[in-house]
Amino acid sequence: MTYHVNEKGYYGEFGGAYIPEMLYPNVEKLRQNYLKITAEPEFQKEFDELLKDYVGRPTPLYYAKNLSEKYKAKIYLKREDLCHTGAHKINNTIGQILLAKRLGKTRIIAETGAGQHGVATATVCALMGLQCIVYMGEVDIKRQAPNVARMKMLGAEVRPALSGSRTLKDATNEAIRDWINNPVDTYYIIGSVVGPHPYPDMVARFQSVISSEIKMQLLEKEGKESPDYVIACVGGGSNAAGAYYHFLDDADVKIIAVEAAGLGVHSGESAATSALGKIGIIHGSKTLLMQTDDGQITEPYSISAGLDYPGVGPMHAHLFASKRAQFISITDEDAMNAGLALSKMEGIIPAIESAHAFAALDVMKFNEEEVVVVNLSGRGDKDLQTYIDYFKL
Ligand SMILES: *Cc1c(COP(=O)(O)O)cnc(C)c1O
């Protein structure tokens, strides 16, 4: 049994490419070419060099001494927060922009919720000199003004999505509509392990640099490549997919996925997809999805904008259904307290998304010598105002 995608684009019963006919040529061209192009030595050389010199990889695997004493296990933090632009998202946008160039595309579109993926996309478009259009819900444009300003400074055009709840899913719909209308020159950079095949697999492969580094770094520090646990937060699931990737088929590694419970899993204000979701189709993929009885997508809620997505990628739906991963949900309150605790105990202010992963330590039990890796997906600078308001700092 493997937990990777099969040749039809499925993880178990999840995945596939449920797309309108107009989009088929684009997605099919990508499917036929992504493995071939990304395997070329020239591609790999350019990707590796940019990850090293532009993104700042490898990111450290930091042995957190104070946390280790508290939780009575060996706690390591994988420092994706130290990547250029402040989170793991740039690993993926670097990979996809190199692919877009090789496919001869000149115009890049993207969707963004909190603006983190929009900033990572605008960054690589500036680097490569390509036109960049980012779709963003009108509500999010108002909520995330600093990231809108960043995208503009980087030369991107931010287009408001005015339909529906005017948030991430509506921005995604607008981006898909744009791609249908501009099939020849345009490439769509999706920001997580979601969307039609081959996106989930492609994004997971670009992010898998996280777990290949963890293996090398653990070998050096612990004399073995595999941890006992790897823990990551799941919005769409890209940082988690990258952190799990090389451990998926290693049954000795326990995989922990942390979702946002918002105000509580059953409060009606939550984004805990595995607990609340049912099988459905969103953005071209069959997966677990929060929906009403008649199949309308439910508006998710989390204090952390990056976890505020009504579905999870098909890989994660399969990890859940097959019980390969254990899913935990963490409330706003527990995540915020964990973010403050990590700041005080280790001098690291995490993104609120990452604070959810870190909060899982409080609800788990470890044996003394066990090795635990927490993927710290991003830094907390973007969340400072939320921390200030929450804690009245
Ligand atoms: C976007 C984001 C996430 C959630 O996205 P995934 O695709 O689930 O990784 C998590 N952490 C940070 C810091 C983010 O910016």
Side-chain angles (χ1 to χ4, degrees):
M1 175 143 189
T2 173
Y3 294 93
H4 292 275
V5 78
N6 69 20
E7 61 290 349
K8 295 214 168 75
Y10 282 84
Y11 300 82
E13 63 177 310
F14 304 101
Y18 297 81
I19 47 173
E21 203 180 319
M22 308 270 288
L23 220 51
Y24 183 78
N26 271 339
V27 174
E28 182 57 16
K29 188 172 178 203
L30 196 56
R31 189 187 70 78
Q32 286 174 1
N33 286 292
Y34 82 109
L35 291 177
K36 202 166 64 195
I37 292 175
T38 55
E40 284 166 5
E42 266 306 300
F43 181 98
Q44 290 192 346
K45 182 163 175 280
E46 199 177 352
F47 184 54
D48 291 347
E49 280 177 7
L50 284 171
L51 287 186
K52 177 166 175 275
D53 296 329
Y54 190 71
V55 174
R57 304 203 73 91
T59 59
L61 183 70
Y62 165 65
Y63 174 69
K65 187 164 161 289
N66 299 332
L67 295 179
S68 297
E69 272 167 22
K70 175 170 177 200
Y71 292 104
K72 311 238 176 319
K74 293 180 173 171
I75 312 283
Y76 286 90
L77 303 177
K78 182 59 173 162
R79 299 290 309 275
E80 293 302 295
D81 59 318
L82 296 177
C83 289
H84 177 44
T85 70
H88 67 289
K89 287 200 171 71
I90 189 124
N91 304 325
N92 168 47
T93 58
I94 294 260
Q96 287 199 56
I97 198 107
L98 294 179
L99 190 59
K101 276 198 353 185
R102 281 162 175 79
L103 290 170
K105 306 289 183 173
T106 54
R107 181 176 177 272
I108 301 296
I109 57 171
E111 84 295 340
T112 197
Q116 294 300 105
H117 173 57
V119 169
T121 302
T123 299
V124 297
C125 287
L127 179 68
M128 296 295 168
L130 296 182
Q131 186 189 358
C132 181
I133 294 155
V134 179
Y135 289 92
M136 189 169 187
E138 195 186 29
V139 169
D140 290 332
I141 288 178
K142 291 216 179 80
R143 286 195 291 208
Q144 311 288 341
N147 275 341
V148 175
R150 283 185 187 103
M151 287 183 266
K152 288 184 178 162
M153 266 191 89
L154 293 161
E157 179 192 339
V158 180
R159 286 197 191 158
L162 304 170
S163 65
S165 54
R166 291 167 291 145
T167 58
L168 176 60
K169 74 174 164 47
D170 312 291
T172 306
N173 290 337
E174 290 297 330
I176 290 172
R177 200 165 299 150
D178 180 312
W179 207 21
I180 290 173
N181 291 328
N182 298 286
V184 179
D185 62 344
T186 299
Y187 181 92
Y188 179 16
I189 299 190
I190 294 185
S192 190
V193 287
V194 300
H197 178 66
Y199 278 101
D201 183 49
M202 180 170 66
V203 176
R205 284 169 184 263
F206 289 142
Q207 292 292 359
S208 73
V209 63
I210 299 173
S211 49
S212 48
E213 287 176 7
I214 292 173
K215 285 178 82 165
M216 285 188 319
Q217 291 165 324
L218 276 182
L219 186 61
E220 191 181 298
K221 291 171 197 291
E222 290 289 334
K224 58 170 192 175
E225 289 188 335
S226 302
D228 295 291
Y229 292 87
V230 53
I231 305 175
C233 65
V234 175
S238 67
N239 87 87
Y244 304 160
Y245 194 87
H246 292 288
F247 304 119
L248 284 172
D249 295 326
D250 179 348
D252 292 338
V253 180
K254 296 178 203 68
I255 291 177
I256 311 296
V258 185
E259 294 182 316
L263 301 183
V265 172
H266 299 293
S267 65
E269 297 288 335
S270 166
T273 306
S274 70
L276 300 170
K278 292 189 296 267
I279 197 161
I281 290 172
I282 182 170
H283 302 139
S285 174
K286 188 193 280 185
T287 189
L288 288 174
L289 178 60
M290 289 167 46
Q291 52 191 309
T292 61
D293 287 339
D294 46 0
Q296 295 297 313
I297 293 168
T298 314
E299 197 59 29
Y301 164 79
S302 164
I303 194 167
S304 123
L307 301 183
D308 195 349
Y309 184 69
V312 288
M315 174 201 278
H316 299 291
H318 181 51
L319 294 176
F320 175 74
S322 64
K323 301 195 164 64
R324 172 67 184 95
Q326 184 192 344
F327 278 65
I328 292 177
S329 55
I330 294 292
T331 60
D332 286 359
E333 183 182 357
D334 290 343
M336 293 302 282
N337 287 328
L340 189 61
L342 182 58
S343 307
K344 296 218 155 118
M345 286 182 73
E346 294 285 351
I348 298 170
I349 301 175
I352 301 173
E353 292 86 355
S354 321
H356 283 74
F358 175 64
L361 295 175
D362 283 320
V363 297
M364 296 177 63
K365 277 237 175 326
F366 306 109
N367 297 325
E368 194 94 27
E369 286 299 301
E370 281 184 321
V371 173
V372 180
V373 175
V374 182
N375 198 42
L376 208 67
S377 54
R379 57 178 172 250
D381 307 31
K382 70 181 177 66
D383 296 319
L384 205 58
Q385 194 59 48
T386 310
Y387 280 125
I388 289 169
D389 295 343
Y390 193 88
F391 291 113
K392 310 208 168 23
L393 299 173

